[in-house]
Amino acid sequence: MRPSAITLSYILNDVLNESKLQQVDSLYKEFETPEKANKIVKLKHFEKFQDTTEALAAATALVEGKLGKSLKKVLKKVVAKEAHEQLAISDAKLGGVIKEKLDLSCVHSPAVAELMRCIRGQMESLITGLPPREMSAMSLGLAHSLSRYKLKFSPDKVDTMIVQAISLLDDLDKELNNYIMRCREWYGWHFPELGKVITDNLAYCKSVRKIGDRTNVASSDLSDILPEEIEAEVKLAAEISMGTEVSEEDIGNIRHLCDQVVEISEYRAQLYDYLKNRMMAIAPNLTVMVGELVGARLISHAGSLLNLAKHPASTVQILGAEKALFRALKTRKDTPKYGLIYHASLVGQTTAKNKGKISRMLAAKAALAIRYDALGEDTNAEMGAENRAKLEARLRQLEDKGIRRISGTGKAMAKVEKYQHKSEVRIYDPSGDSTIPSTSKKRKFEEVEEEDATEPTTSAVKPKKAKRELVIEGE
């Protein structure tokens, strides 16, 4: 059995006592000293690399589970002579490649892994004629080269470009807003009516750059910038403008500012196209679900696509609203329903009462899309498109819920009741028209008594009253 280990050389060792390999837990005791290690394994072949470049190529091939040219040459030259023996390897994937290419029997087990570790611990004593200082320098140089290679070609580092691009895009938007506001305010002293006629910021800056002084409007051709009716309105406004006069130096500075706005706007459009292409290449399913800008902001907020893939759907839903979340938890109020995902098109096109439901469903599907993009091998966007279609169907169902009512069982549509117009007929009350205050209760009571005195007595109480009056007259 021949295990192979690598520093800046290929090393093949013969195992002298294979019975010791069966005792995996106590195998390290047999490598405590160089003397014990030499009783277990024996150096079979040692081949040094020519330079660090060759060593890096071989190490990279081993890490990726590939059979390099130099390793293939060594195995053909040395091991092929004794093909009846097994070759112990530390990588099962590499063993499959060796078995397929060279038809060599390979073995990989926990005992082999422990043996590899013990050999690396006693590497200096097992290899004769190589100073420890030189071995350390070679190992350190190869480790640095391999780390630089991994960092350079790591797919995880590609999303760094997205993080920087979306941050730069936000910075450009802020600077553009400041520049345009300054340009409108500055040129507004000279030609204030132009800002009301031209609402588009980029067209405004291009027009200012071409016009300069407002007296040049009549002779300026703005047809390539503005529509015909807007151009006529600008020329009419220039004739009756109430702006103040400015010098040529002021106009020159304003034109220079307009040049900056136009250049930054063009660069922003180019950067947005670059970001869109990078997002479709790295996270196509997430891009289909929430769009390029929202997806890039989610990746930027999490730090990387892999970190974002580790977040659950509930975290993706409120990512970007941490301040509101902790404030709500502290004050025991309702927690936020959405964060950065609020700006997705699916959330924006729904009504206010359904935004929370849609954001929750969108976050759940987006979390699946993120993990598929970060950990999957495919680069298509079929899964994202399928989930987006499901969400759109669910959105239409929620929007139509107020129109179509589902019955109690949820299986059959409820019958629509016949519409009947019910209205009450009210009679006009003229008492509200009078402005005379109503009479008091005392006055009403006196009037009632006078009316009763004039009417003939018919009740049982009134004869008693008459009888009492007769007694008084008799006296």
Side-chain angles (χ1 to χ4, degrees), residues 125-146:
S125 61
L126 292 174
I127 301 175
T128 58
L130 190 64
R133 182 179 297 179
E134 187 176 349
M135 175 74 76
S136 177
M138 289 190 300
S139 302
L140 185 62
L142 178 60
H144 286 176
S145 301
L146 190 60

Side-chain angles (χ1 to χ4, degrees), residues 221-237:
D221 183 18
L222 303 176
S223 58
D224 56 337
I225 302 174
L226 304 174
E228 186 177 351
E229 59 274 8
I230 300 295
E231 183 182 2
E233 194 174 348
V234 168
K235 292 183 178 180
L236 180 61

Side-chain angles (χ1 to χ4, degrees), residues 1-2 12-16 40-44 85:
M1 188 177 289
R2 293 184 176 83
L12 296 174
N13 295 302
D14 269 338
V15 177
L16 302 178
I40 302 296
V41 293
K42 177 185 176 183
L43 182 64
K44 179 71 175 179
E85 295 190 13

Side-chain angles (χ1 to χ4, degrees), residues 52-53 55-64 66 141-155 157:
T52 309
T53 304
L56 177 61
T60 305
L62 288 177
V63 169
E64 295 176 355
K66 299 177 181 179
L142 178 60
H144 286 176
S145 301
L146 190 60
S147 299
R148 282 194 296 269
Y149 174 82
K150 283 186 175 181
L151 187 65
K152 184 177 180 181
F153 294 101
S154 175
K157 295 299 175 183

Side-chain angles (χ1 to χ4, degrees), residues 25-49:
D25 296 334
S26 60
L27 185 60
Y28 70 95
K29 296 179 181 179
E30 304 299 328
F31 286 84
E32 289 179 347
T33 60
E35 292 77 12
K36 289 183 177 181
N38 286 317
K39 293 179 181 179
I40 302 296
V41 293
K42 177 185 176 183
L43 182 64
K44 179 71 175 179
H45 180 75
F46 178 85
E47 185 167 339
K48 191 175 179 180
F49 294 117

